[in-house]
Amino acid sequence: MKQSDVVISGGGMVGLTLALALARGGLKVVAVDALAPEQTVTADFDGRVSALAYAVVRMMQALELWPRLEANAQPIREILVSDGAIGRAASPFSLHFDAEEVGAESLGHIVENRHIRAALHAAAAQETNLTLIAPATVAALRVEPAGVIARLSDGREIKATLAVAADGRDSRLRGQMGIGVIGWSYPQTGIVATVHHARPHKGVAYEHFLPSGPFAILPMTGDRSSLVWTEAASKAPAMLALDDADFDAEVAARFGAHLGENEVVGSRWSYPLKFHLARDYVRPRFALAGDCAHGIHPIAGQGLNLGLKDVAALAETLLDAARLGQDIGALDVLKRYERWRRFDSFTLAASTDALNRLFSNDIAPLRHLRDLGLGLADAFGPARRFFMRHAGGDIGKLPRLMKGEPA
Ligand SMILES: Cc1cc2nc3c(=O)[nH]c(=O)nc-3n(C[C@H](O)[C@H](O)[C@H](O)COP(=O)(O)OP(=O)(O)OC[C@H]3O[C@@H](n4cnc5c(N)ncnc54)[C@H](O)[C@@H]3O)c2cc1C
């Protein structure tokens, strides 16, 4: 039986970052993932990118991951938010965020998820305190007074002081530990594709609100952008089935002509969009992190940022307890983490849900109201700067890692 301080179910972007932070802090960690690492780092795996808030970039720097990511990270210099409909000119009211206004070089970075996973796997391989077991799953978890025993799908057993579930939104372990979720499906599908532009995008990200949902254009390295196109679930299959020329034409109708001709490159992906929040984040000797604890609409590109804030807060809580000689699996220690993260996650989840409801329709009075809101927010400097700080993750009680300090 293998012995460790923490066993983590799920070695995705959240699980492996947590494993790394805890191992660097001196704890022995075993992370278990259902997929072999080499499966998750190819261009064809999920086609997704993440908009990393600048607080998350500071965390990546503190964990010495940034040098592995920087060359593939596109700084976001500006964000333009507008409201419109296909065939109708965009509303004259729009919202413009500029990194220069807050004296920053960027408002965050766009990185392909495959590069984040590759950087994490490379760093994990060099960490003596960290063992990644993949492919395998945690088949059963037994909680005892002094520890947990995780039985893996390959029959191996791991004894630890604490188990963490970071195995995504459909976590079975969360249910097995008696933690319920509240949630619903959005009548929307997220279509993801990459486009290559004729003209340089200069690091500008666009969020164009259309009646079926937001159409986000996220700048990537090499004059490419990632499209996160929220479409009515009833229409998405037809869009996905179009041949390349017709798909390009649908993209062009929503994209606009400001970057010249755009060509969709590579595959298209689709994701059913759901909202969920776990009723509790902890049990004795058990904690949740990332999408396992909360799943939010991608309208603001904040899901991973939220999960990485869980990581920073949980790592700090556990390492502080360990340094004081406390039991890292004790409920009172884990409750500190829950109190720190639950309200913040709820607030962000609720506000992204409200934003999606406010913008994903073509009801005229609502349209006028939200356009007025965009115009007012744009005209009022403190509001603009507040939104920029919020999007950058610089809000609330920041864990040490997110200030760029060791956990
Ligand atoms: C279209 C779209 C666009 C998005 N854009 C952004 C963005 O721009 N910025 C942002 O911050 N967020 C974004 N998100 C959200 C972000 O992708 C998620 O929040 C993030 O992937 C959550 O990471 P995670 O590690 O918690 O979960 P996951 O990415 O789901 O990883 C879970 C891991 O657990 C493993 N696993 C699953 N089951 C088991 C098991 N039983 N045992 C062991 N391992 C298991 C899986 O193999 C996987 O490696 C977007 C989401 C969508 C759908």
Side-chain angles (χ1 to χ4, degrees), residues 3 11 21 46 48 70 82 92 98 106 112-113 119 142 152 192 197 221 224 232 242 249 275 291 326 348 362 397:
Q3 182 90 34
D46 67 0
R48 254 152 65 180
E70 200 169 6
S82 57
D98 192 330
S106 75
E112 290 170 63
N113 289 3
R142 202 162 78 233
L152 307 193
V192 172
H197 314 294
T221 52
R224 299 168 304 151
L242 292 173
F275 174 102
D291 271 22
Q326 296 171 346
L348 188 67
D362 204 16
K397 185 187 165 200

Side-chain angles (χ1 to χ4, degrees), residues 6-18:
V6 183
V7 57
I8 302 174
S9 170
M13 293 185 286
V14 165
L16 218 46
T17 311
L18 176 66

Side-chain angles (χ1 to χ4, degrees), residues 10 12-14 32-34 48 50-51 137 167-168 290-291 301-305:
M13 293 185 286
V14 165
V32 182
D33 199 275
R48 254 152 65 180
S50 293
T137 57
D167 44 13
D291 271 22
Q302 289 293 336
L304 177 64
N305 290 315

